[in-house]
Amino acid sequence: MRPFKPHGFPAIASLVPKLILPQIPDPQMIKTGFDLQTYYSNHLLQSLINNGDLFEARKLFDGMPLKNTFTANRMISGYAKFGELDEARKLFVLTTERTKVTWTIMIGAFSQLGCSKEAFELFNEMLRSGERADHVALAALLGACNDPHASRLVNQIHVHVAKSGFGSTLLVCNTLVDSYSKCGLIDVARCLFDEMPERDTVTYNALLMGYSKEGFHGEAMELFMEMRNLELKPSQFTFSGVLTAGTGLGDLRFGQQVHSLIIKSDFDWNVFVNNSLLDFYWKCGCVSEATKLFNEMAERDNVSYNVMVSGYAWDGRTREFVELFWEMQSLGFDRKQFPFASMLSIAGALPALQMGKQIHAHVIALDLVIDDLVGNALIDMYAKCGELETAGMIFRSRTDRNTVSWTAMISGFIQNGLHEEALTLFCEMRRAGAIPDRATFSSILRASACLALLELGKQLHSYIIQCGFMSSVFCGSAMLDLYAKCGCLADTVLLFNEMPERNIVSWNTMIAAYAQNGQGNNAIHLFNQMLKQCIEPDSVSFLNILSACSHAGLMDEGLEYFECMSTTYMIEPKKEHYTCVIDILGRVGQFDKLEALIDAMPFEPDQIIWSSILNSCRIHKKQELANQAAEKLFTTEIKDAAPYVILSNIYSRTGRWEDAAKIKKMMRDRGVKKEPAYSWVEIKGKTYTFSANDELNTEIKVKLEELDKEMKKAGYKPDTQCALHNVDEETKAESLKYHSERLAIVFALINTPRGTPIRVMKNLRACDDCHNGIKVISKIVGREITVRDSSRFHHFKDGFCSCGDFW
């Protein structure tokens, strides 16, 4: 019997001669109604799709006289598999007979591309058509919910899962845990995990990866150990997640133990796992181990090379970086898959503008500027290199700006000290409908902290809670920094104690808060508490504790911490640590020890160190050493006005007006300008700025005079040595009344309710007279007055200052 051959359609037998009818019909044969032509066509269609030949597959599909839903599903699935979503959608619309599988294929296609909105709309359309979603469709839909923007969608799907009776289905529950984790709702993911009647390796992997991503590295490790105790077999994703946790904790020994387990579990051949190991070793600074592993890998892909190239570039190994980069090109890897984004990030972090521009040229040649990852990395690189105009041009040229684009530009403004511009851009971002993520909040909180905008900070705090990001250790640490820099130490302590997870950044921020507020003993107590919780201090931890000792005059404790840095914790002190110790010794007048330390330093003192010495000479009136420090400073073309001003003030205080005038002339000749002093206060969400030259309204003048009379009655005497002008004593005393911080305090007294605290910020160091004057004011008005100057916080209350007059 000859096979049926319709007119114009090729004989299937001639196309697949070896394909014979099975003795026992398979399910696909049954679905065709035992139509051999359709059965063989479906097989050939699948073969063409598997080979990526979509054009020939579509020709065959269009020419088939008889099609069933299985045929249409295969063709739609083929388009989706190769990213041809428009074609898949068109064919889906033309398909009149749709099954659950048809709908699930399309939902899954949108999910894989991260199109959560489109996937959700399609899911609702499916329900409206009368088709009931099964567990596979629900899992496919949840696959689209992989970032914080989709958190509400996950909640809605979870409700539908419960109503549909799939609340205990392992596949759906695993996908829910994964989606909650990827949306940053790690607490919800954990609750669901704990309630699941059944768990497998996939369940643990989903939560473990979520913990690692959110910075809960300790919890990730605990979960991994629980898996081991339950004898659940680890997968490549298990190892990737736990290595990320090891990287986050900087625990090299733990990572090496995981490496041994990888070998024992026969995963050392797996390129995905080996790439995670490479990344771990690089981020732990183990260059030789990473290189050895790379050379021994049986299989390498473009990710392997990308990790190595980025690592060599970051470590400054130019020769190895260039050689490996050329090797990548010679091996025929797709140049569009090269680590351009990582390399741009490195160029920005160094910063190395020329390197960044060269990479930019490669990106333009490959037409990768429109690539989302590369485009955002370009914005970030130029911003970090100080090229804000170029960064802004790239940012504005992007029509598809996403959260990362906005955050990169906002961070660029902040890194370049343009905090108000960052806040303006954040408002524009919100108007554009872009949803901020943890990185955005961390950046904008930093801007608010630098400007000490407490009211805005509180609004952001509420917004972060609404978005579900308060469990994020990154947002929590940024909030700590905000409250600390606004002088709200009690709120900072409360927030720190309530944090569900703390990392080294959280501890460092809290220690720094105590340091800035002159609470050296509390800083030491917290540092010791951190050690008891087995959290290893880093270089920043020691910098903060040394700063705390400096502000509190704790010389012995400071020297002890400086010593144990290298002897106990094997941390090599950097120039900043030496600067802190020099400041400690200078503040307490131990100039012999100070000079001995300078002689023992492994490097020459820089401008910052000599400026610190000069400031100590001002405090203790060490004229000779001040001259030596000034001579060292002025031999270099420094543009910072502070050293000139300090020396000029030293001369002015001792009546050496001609020498003071010479210093001021030197400043003019060198083009060095003193930054004008100004103070600001925030009232009802608005910021008011004051300087000594302001035109004052009558109300402020009257209040200023009233306060001056009350201060003198309370025993205040102006310290005219702080008025550094060659004029009579009366004029000097009069000028002190109009210092910017006093004007800000008077304005706040007029415009805020009685008894409420006052917070004033100043860009420069407060003078001794203002310090003494504000102590008196705090007692007269019965208010707590907080002043943050360029050095630290001063909390004035009942005639006393928190610094104990040591500052």
Side-chain angles (χ1 to χ4, degrees):
M1 179 177 175
R2 298 191 318 188
F4 170 70
K5 295 199 301 181
H7 180 68
F9 192 75
I12 296 299
S14 66
L15 294 172
V16 277
K18 294 183 180 179
L19 192 63
I20 59 173
L21 180 66
Q23 293 181 351
I24 301 174
D26 65 17
Q28 294 179 22
M29 172 69 79
I30 296 170
K31 288 177 182 178
T32 64
F34 294 93
D35 185 288
L36 290 179
Q37 188 69 50
T38 305
Y39 175 75
Y40 290 136
S41 296
N42 284 344
H43 271 279
L44 181 56
L45 184 71
Q46 188 63 58
S47 177
L48 291 169
I49 290 170
N50 290 342
N51 292 328
D53 196 346
L54 295 182
F55 180 76
E56 289 298 327
R58 185 57 188 260
K59 275 176 64 178
L60 175 61
F61 176 83
D62 289 339
M64 289 174 65
L66 295 173
K67 305 183 188 77
N68 58 6
T69 53
F70 184 79
T71 315
N73 289 347
R74 281 198 170 177
M75 194 67 234
I76 294 169
S77 179
Y79 280 130
K81 179 182 176 182
F82 290 97
E84 299 283 349
L85 205 55
D86 289 340
E87 293 299 323
R89 181 78 189 197
K90 287 176 186 175
L91 185 56
F92 174 80
V93 172
L94 293 172
T95 304
T96 53
E97 295 182 15
R98 301 169 189 162
T99 63
K100 280 187 181 69
V101 177
T102 318
W103 288 97
T104 302
I105 290 168
M106 280 307 300
I107 292 168
F110 280 116
S111 294
Q112 286 175 356
L113 291 175
C115 304
S116 54
K117 183 181 177 183
E118 291 83 350
F120 202 71
E121 287 173 355
L122 204 61
F123 180 78
N124 286 330
E125 190 181 334
M126 171 186 170
L127 297 180
R128 286 193 297 270
S129 72
E131 193 71 65
R132 186 176 179 271
D134 60 8
H135 63 290
V136 181
L138 289 165
L141 178 61
L142 283 165
C145 305
N146 54 15
D147 62 57
H149 304 159
S151 55
R152 290 183 181 178
L153 294 181
V154 182
N155 289 326
Q156 292 177 38
I157 297 167
H158 195 169
V159 171
H160 187 86
V161 165
K163 288 181 178 178
S164 303
F166 292 113
S168 58
T169 305
L170 185 60
L171 173 66
V172 177
C173 288
N174 284 347
T175 317
L176 270 170
V177 171
D178 185 55
S179 295
Y180 276 127
S181 298
K182 286 176 178 175
C183 289
L185 302 174
I186 199 71
D187 292 338
V188 184
R190 180 72 210 208
C191 288
L192 179 60
F193 175 90
D194 292 336
E195 292 171 0
M196 285 175 65
E198 180 187 0
R199 305 179 198 127
D200 60 5
T201 299
V202 177
T203 324
Y204 277 85
N205 285 349
L207 189 59
L208 194 153
M209 295 287 279
Y211 274 139
S212 296
K213 178 190 169 190
E214 294 295 316
F216 296 113
H217 304 305
E219 284 80 352
M221 286 187 173
E222 287 175 11
L223 205 62
F224 176 69
M225 298 311 297
E226 187 179 322
M227 281 185 73
R228 299 286 297 145
N229 293 334
L230 292 171
E231 298 183 354
L232 286 171
K233 188 176 179 181
S235 71
Q236 59 181 14
F237 300 108
T238 314
F239 290 122
S240 176
V242 79
L243 283 168
T244 301
T247 303
L249 292 173
D251 195 334
L252 177 60
R253 188 177 176 186
F254 175 78
Q256 290 170 331
Q257 290 173 346
V258 173
H259 192 168
S260 299
L261 181 60
I262 286 168
I263 295 169
K264 289 178 184 177
S265 304
D266 196 28
F267 271 92
D268 54 326
W269 56 268
N270 187 296
V271 68
F272 179 80
V273 173
N274 280 331
N275 289 341
S276 297
L277 270 170
L278 281 178
D279 185 62
F280 168 79
Y281 281 127
W282 269 115
K283 287 177 178 174
C284 286
C286 302
V287 181
S288 58
E289 286 85 349
T291 304
K292 185 175 182 290
L293 174 63
F294 179 77
N295 292 333
E296 292 175 353
M297 283 171 64
E299 180 189 354
R300 303 171 190 155
D301 59 10
N302 67 306
V303 176
S304 317
Y305 278 89
N306 285 351
V307 172
M308 291 301 293
V309 167
S310 300
Y312 282 136
W314 185 259
D315 203 48
R317 296 171 180 258
T318 308
R319 183 177 60 80
E320 292 92 336
F321 157 65
V322 172
E323 285 177 0
L324 210 58
F325 188 74
W326 284 112
E327 186 180 328
M328 281 187 77
Q329 297 188 65
S330 66
L331 289 172
F333 285 116
D334 183 0
R335 290 179 68 197
K336 292 188 176 182
Q337 299 299 317
F338 283 14
F340 291 119
S342 298
M343 290 159 68
L344 285 166
S345 296
I346 293 166
L350 289 174
L353 182 59
Q354 280 306 115
M355 174 185 169
K357 285 182 175 179
Q358 290 172 12
I359 298 166
H360 192 176
H362 276 283
V363 165
I364 292 170
L366 293 169
D367 195 28
L368 285 174
V369 179
I370 58 171
D371 180 82
D372 190 49
L373 198 61
V374 174
N376 291 335
L378 277 169
I379 296 168
D380 182 63
M381 183 275 293
Y382 279 114
K384 284 179 178 174
C385 289
E387 297 283 324
L388 283 175
E389 189 175 341
T390 307
M393 183 180 68
I394 297 169
F395 173 76
R396 295 296 175 189
S397 67
R398 293 182 64 83
T399 55
D400 58 340
R401 292 192 288 267
N402 58 17
T403 300
V404 179
S405 315
W406 288 96
T407 303
M409 199 65 223
I410 288 169
S411 299
F413 279 131
I414 294 166
Q415 286 160 359
N416 286 276
L418 302 174
H419 303 109
E420 291 180 6
E421 288 81 351
L423 292 171
T424 302
L425 192 63
F426 177 73
C427 293
E428 186 182 336
M429 174 187 178
R430 297 292 297 122
R431 287 194 297 270
I435 301 173
D437 59 11
R438 291 165 302 170
T440 319
F441 282 122
S442 296
S443 294
I444 208 65
L445 283 168
R446 185 176 159 200
S448 302
C450 289
L451 294 172
L453 299 177
L454 181 59
E455 289 305 314
L456 176 61
K458 287 179 177 179
Q459 292 174 29
L460 288 169
H461 192 168
S462 300
Y463 191 18
I464 288 168
I465 293 170
Q466 288 173 22
C467 294
F469 288 136
M470 270 314 292
S471 61
S472 165
V473 69
F474 307 107
C475 288
S477 297
M479 284 301 311
L480 278 179
D481 187 51
L482 168 75
Y483 282 118
K485 286 181 177 171
C486 287
C488 304
L489 189 59
D491 292 325
T492 311
V493 173
L494 181 64
L495 182 62
F496 178 79
N497 291 333
E498 290 178 348
M499 286 180 74
E501 169 76 5
R502 302 173 193 145
N503 61 9
I504 188 64
V505 177
S506 317
W507 288 93
N508 287 346
T509 304
M510 193 63 234
I511 293 168
Y514 280 131
Q516 290 165 358
N517 286 274
Q519 298 196 13
N521 290 321
N522 282 339
I524 289 172
H525 175 73
L526 191 67
F527 186 88
N528 293 334
Q529 192 179 336
M530 180 179 79
L531 298 181
K532 286 178 184 176
Q533 295 198 15
C534 299
I535 294 173
E536 195 86 357
D538 61 10
S539 178
V540 178
S541 310
F542 280 104
L543 190 62
N544 289 341
I545 197 66
L546 288 171
S547 176
C549 293
S550 173
H551 284 304
L554 303 173
M555 183 187 73
D556 293 336
E557 292 85 346
L559 293 175
E560 186 179 331
Y561 282 120
F562 183 70
E563 178 68 23
C564 79
M565 266 186 79
S566 52
T567 57
T568 306
Y569 296 98
M570 306 305 166
I571 298 173
E572 194 66 30
K574 297 178 183 176
K575 195 171 285 188
E576 305 89 73
H577 300 98
Y578 278 97
T579 303
C580 261
V581 177
I582 286 168
D583 195 53
I584 291 171
L585 295 170
R587 281 174 180 270
V588 296
Q590 295 288 330
F591 289 98
D592 290 340
K593 290 182 179 179
L594 184 153
E595 290 181 31
L597 182 62
I598 289 175
D599 292 336
M601 285 195 313
F603 39 73
E604 288 297 315
D606 63 3
Q607 295 174 10
I608 298 172
I609 289 176
W610 285 118
S611 295
S612 174
I613 294 169
L614 191 60
N615 187 56
S616 298
C617 293
R618 178 194 63 81
I619 296 169
H620 295 282
K621 298 178 174 60
K622 286 280 183 177
Q623 187 71 62
E624 188 178 340
L625 184 57
N627 289 335
Q628 291 176 23
E631 187 179 337
K632 293 285 186 181
L633 281 165
F634 298 155
T635 52
T636 59
E637 291 292 324
I638 57 170
K639 293 297 180 184
D640 181 14
Y644 295 95
V645 173
I646 291 171
L647 189 60
S648 174
N649 291 352
I650 290 172
Y651 290 146
S652 299
R653 279 175 175 270
T654 54
R656 295 171 60 179
W657 300 108
E658 288 185 9
D659 291 330
K662 286 177 183 177
I663 297 297
K664 291 176 181 177
K665 183 178 183 300
M666 189 189 298
M667 287 178 67
R668 288 194 298 273
D669 293 343
R670 293 186 176 187
V672 179
K673 293 183 178 180
K674 179 189 174 185
E675 184 181 359
Y678 61 90
S679 300
W680 67 97
V681 62
E682 186 184 9
I683 298 173
K684 295 179 182 178
K686 288 186 69 176
T687 303
Y688 301 88
T689 306
F690 300 88
S691 66
N693 298 321
D694 285 348
E695 287 289 331
L696 304 177
N697 63 36
T698 305
E699 191 176 17
I700 294 177
K701 286 180 180 178
V702 169
K703 185 67 176 177
L704 202 58
E705 290 301 323
E706 288 176 0
L707 195 60
D708 186 55
K709 288 177 183 177
E710 290 186 58
M711 288 170 67
K712 287 174 180 175
K713 284 180 184 177
Y716 162 74
K717 291 182 180 179
D719 182 357
T720 54
Q721 283 192 325
C722 295
L724 305 171
H725 302 285
N726 190 11
V727 292
D728 60 75
E729 291 296 303
E730 187 178 342
T731 306
K732 286 181 181 180
E734 184 68 16
S735 68
L736 292 173
K737 288 195 302 188
Y738 296 95
H739 280 194
S740 63
E741 56 266 55
R742 292 206 199 182
L743 299 180
I745 290 169
V746 168
F747 182 81
L749 287 170
I750 295 169
N751 292 283
T752 56
R754 287 177 177 272
T756 56
I758 293 172
R759 290 184 179 84
V760 172
M761 310 296 156
K762 185 174 182 177
N763 66 325
L764 301 178
R765 188 182 185 277
C767 73
D768 291 347
D769 181 70
C770 283
H771 188 266
N772 293 329
I774 298 170
K775 284 197 292 184
V776 177
I777 293 171
S778 69
K779 187 174 183 179
I780 291 169
V781 300
R783 298 216 209 178
E784 183 176 348
I785 301 172
T786 300
V787 176
R788 188 188 85 179
D789 65 8
S790 60
S791 173
R792 57 174 295 162
F793 279 97
H794 298 270
H795 299 274
F796 300 95
K797 188 177 182 181
D798 298 328
F800 296 95
C801 179
S802 59
C803 73
D805 295 337
F806 184 87
W807 57 297

